[in-house]
Amino acid sequence: MKDHLQFYIDGQWVDPAVPRTLDVINPSTEQPVARISLGSAADVDKAVKAARRAFETYSRTTREERLALLAKVLEVYQKRYGDVVQAISQEMGAPLWLSKAAQAAMGVAHLATTIEVLKNFPFEQVHGTTAIVHEPVGVVGMITPWNWPINQIMCKVAPALAAGCTMILKPSEVAPLNAMLVAEVMHEAGVPPGVFNLVNGDGLGVGEAMAVHPGIDMMTFTGSTRAGVAVAKAAADSVKRVAQELGGKSANIVLEDADLDKAVTQGMQAIMTNSGQSCNAPTRMFVPRAGHAQAMAAAKAAAESVKVADALAEGMHMGPVVSEQQWGKIQGLIQKGIDEGATLVTGGTGRPEGLAKGYFVKPTVFADVKNDMTIAREEIFGPVLVMIPYDTEEDAIRMANDTPYGLSGYVQSGSLEHARAVAARLRTGMVHLNGAGPDPAAPFGGYKQSGNGREWGEHGFRDFLEVKAVMGYQPKQKKAAA
């Protein structure tokens, strides 16, 4: 077990103001792999002061200077890629294949995409006699979760750097080791002191201190809707900008003209990836009532083909969920589904056969689910599919929209035109048609209680900018004499 007891503030590793430690647990073994310090308001204040000093100069750097810096960050990140892969698998349980192919890879994707956005972004446009100028928002507080840690760190850090902002990052205390590697990358890449700061801690000790701090101009938060509401309330007194990417309960509508077996199998695989711990996972599957039995059989076969194993094992498989707390929550919701009368097709409570330790969950499928059942309303955040039969397409669309969330949606159809027509009626920030994957250049975010603002690509970049109008920027053109 290795100690990581310092924070990265003002370009150097420093001790916390008050010593307080926490073990980082490997969810595959339930054993500690590292120890970190939990920060306090005093550490946040130190980081904010460093960020405010750095903002005075970093905010005035040129596009070319920031492009060169981001290119260096990308170069160093790629050099440390293997370390990031190992850290993610050890601390949050993503299998090595997934950490390498997707988890760590999203860091490269966001850096590369941000570089392309920065190259051509119109920071200044003149309309008539007025200039519309985009400037960095200021000091940004960042709170990121454990489920896709590098993705959610880099889709904030990269555009903030590109915009000319300075920042304080509080990664999840459950999976902080990858963030410590990001700090090492920033240091080696030559990010100026105070531009990037990292303070480990929990929500009460560090997250709230960031949200209320008058020296922070913007909070960007990814996590549960409940925690996002708390951040927004804490930030309200200082009227700072708050961007939130929150929970989801995304609908996957399998239309009558879809290849049912293929659509169900793909949907099941999408949920099993990352052990169901994705806010945009297609966890509510709507299937035509006439095809419900066929869909149940396809989902059962897909779920039972999933191998579950230690995250550090080689090969394609599903790892554990992140923590004992998360495991217990998922078990309770699976039992709730049984108690409320849903049909348990496969899986259920307890660990998969042969796994006596680790936070492993059985790939689980419920059928005959009603849209008002707990398992259809609450975000389970585990490898659990709920299948809801529908009678008409109108019913499917109505039930898909009948949720407090609006992050993502999925539509499967044999006709792209048909899929597009249904997608247009979903009240969600994103829609995936016929198994389409994510696009790092597209805006990521949701409607309703799934948050506000957008991340990724140019839309995410704009969230880190203020807009200034400068009137009289150009003299009025005199009319020519008659």
Side-chain angles (χ1 to χ4, degrees):
M1 187 169 78
K2 189 175 180 181
D3 284 348
H4 299 272
L5 301 180
Q6 293 185 308
F7 305 144
Y8 186 74
I9 298 175
D10 208 11
Q12 55 190 325
W13 292 96
V14 300
D15 293 328
V18 179
R20 189 162 68 103
T21 62
L22 178 74
D23 286 345
V24 178
I25 305 298
N26 180 334
S28 292
T29 65
E30 303 183 36
Q31 297 300 308
V33 292
R35 193 170 57 144
I36 62 165
S37 293
L38 296 176
S40 64
D43 301 300
V44 171
D45 192 57
K46 186 175 182 178
V48 171
K49 287 175 179 174
R52 294 224 70 85
R53 286 194 301 269
F55 183 73
E56 293 302 313
T57 51
Y58 187 69
S59 62
R60 297 198 297 271
T61 54
T62 65
R63 184 199 308 263
E64 291 69 29
E65 288 171 325
R66 297 199 293 274
L67 280 169
L69 182 61
L70 283 165
K72 186 63 178 177
V73 170
L74 176 56
E75 176 191 326
V76 178
Y77 180 83
Q78 289 175 311
K79 189 171 74 173
R80 300 296 302 274
Y81 196 89
D83 296 334
V84 173
V85 168
Q86 287 287 329
I88 291 173
S89 291
Q90 284 189 347
E91 64 187 337
M92 63 76 57
L96 284 172
W97 72 266
L98 181 65
S99 289
K100 184 176 182 180
Q103 287 272 6
M106 290 306 296
V108 174
H110 288 307
L111 283 164
T113 301
T114 300
I115 287 169
E116 291 306 308
V117 170
L118 180 57
K119 282 179 181 177
N120 301 303
F121 188 81
F123 285 98
E124 183 180 294
Q125 294 176 303
V126 178
H127 300 275
T129 63
T130 299
I132 308 300
V133 183
H134 292 84
E135 299 178 341
V137 72
V139 175
V140 182
M142 303 174 172
I143 300 177
T144 57
W146 46 261
N147 61 320
W148 285 88
I150 283 291
N151 169 63
Q152 290 149 321
I153 288 171
M154 208 59 82
C155 75
K156 300 179 192 298
V157 170
L161 285 173
C165 297
T166 59
M167 65 212 74
I168 301 99
L169 169 66
K170 188 206 88 66
S172 169
E173 69 275 21
V174 176
L177 305 182
N178 65 93
M180 307 288 272
L181 288 169
V182 169
E184 292 177 9
V185 167
M186 297 294 160
H187 187 83
E188 185 178 341
V191 173
V195 171
F196 174 89
N197 304 274
L198 182 148
V199 178
N200 279 318
D202 55 22
L204 289 176
V206 173
E208 185 176 359
M210 291 168 63
V212 302
H213 202 294
I216 290 180
D217 302 294
M218 171 184 172
M219 288 297 301
T220 173
F221 172 87
T222 302
S224 70
T225 297
R226 177 192 53 78
V229 168
V231 168
K233 287 181 176 179
D237 286 344
S238 51
V239 200
K240 55 172 61 73
R241 181 181 299 181
V242 179
Q244 301 162 308
E245 196 273 284
L246 308 176
K249 191 70 177 177
S250 300
N252 184 5
I253 301 177
V254 181
L255 296 170
E256 289 187 349
D257 59 0
D259 181 330
L260 187 63
D261 288 344
K262 180 181 177 182
V264 171
T265 301
Q266 283 185 342
M268 193 70 206
Q269 290 169 345
I271 295 171
M272 296 302 112
T273 301
N274 211 42
S275 303
Q277 299 171 124
S278 299
C279 52
N280 60 339
T283 51
R284 285 187 304 151
M285 182 180 288
F286 293 90
V287 297
R289 193 174 299 278
H292 192 230
Q294 181 184 344
M296 285 170 59
K300 184 177 191 294
E304 291 177 355
S305 71
V306 175
K307 180 184 176 184
V308 184
D310 189 306
L312 297 180
E314 294 295 333
M316 296 282 287
H317 61 276
M318 188 179 82
V321 296
V322 74
S323 66
E324 182 179 13
Q325 179 183 0
Q326 198 67 19
W327 188 88
K329 175 194 169 190
I330 295 165
Q331 299 301 309
L333 285 166
I334 291 173
Q335 186 60 53
K336 190 80 169 175
I338 296 169
D339 294 343
E340 291 186 355
T343 299
L344 180 64
V345 177
T346 189
T349 57
R351 291 181 177 85
E353 189 176 345
L355 293 168
K357 289 193 72 174
Y359 307 125
F360 297 99
V361 176
K362 295 175 184 176
T364 297
V365 177
F366 282 104
D368 299 305
V369 176
K370 294 181 173 61
N371 205 41
D372 60 355
M373 288 181 175
T374 302
I375 56 173
R377 307 301 295 177
E378 293 189 17
E379 187 175 30
I380 299 173
F381 231 56
V384 180
L385 170 67
V386 301
M387 303 181 74
I388 303 170
Y390 68 87
D391 294 305
T392 68
E393 192 172 294
E394 288 296 318
D395 287 337
I397 294 169
R398 176 184 54 77
M399 289 190 291
N401 287 329
D402 180 17
T403 169
Y405 297 111
L407 184 57
S408 195
Y410 299 74
V411 182
Q412 322 300 325
S413 172
S415 161
L416 187 56
E417 186 178 355
H418 189 188
R420 288 172 180 162
V422 173
R425 299 182 61 190
L426 296 182
R427 296 290 296 164
T428 60
M430 300 172 285
V431 184
H432 298 257
L433 305 182
N434 292 330
D439 178 358
F444 191 106
Y447 293 9
K448 299 188 278 188
Q449 291 185 27
S450 287
N452 54 65
R454 292 295 183 268
E455 298 187 313
W456 302 24
E458 183 177 326
H459 285 82
F461 178 69
R462 286 181 179 273
D463 265 9
F464 295 92
L465 298 170
E466 286 283 15
V467 181
K468 176 185 287 182
V470 184
M471 278 67 76
Y473 190 81
Q474 287 192 171
K476 289 184 177 180
Q477 299 295 319
K478 293 182 180 180
K479 291 184 179 179

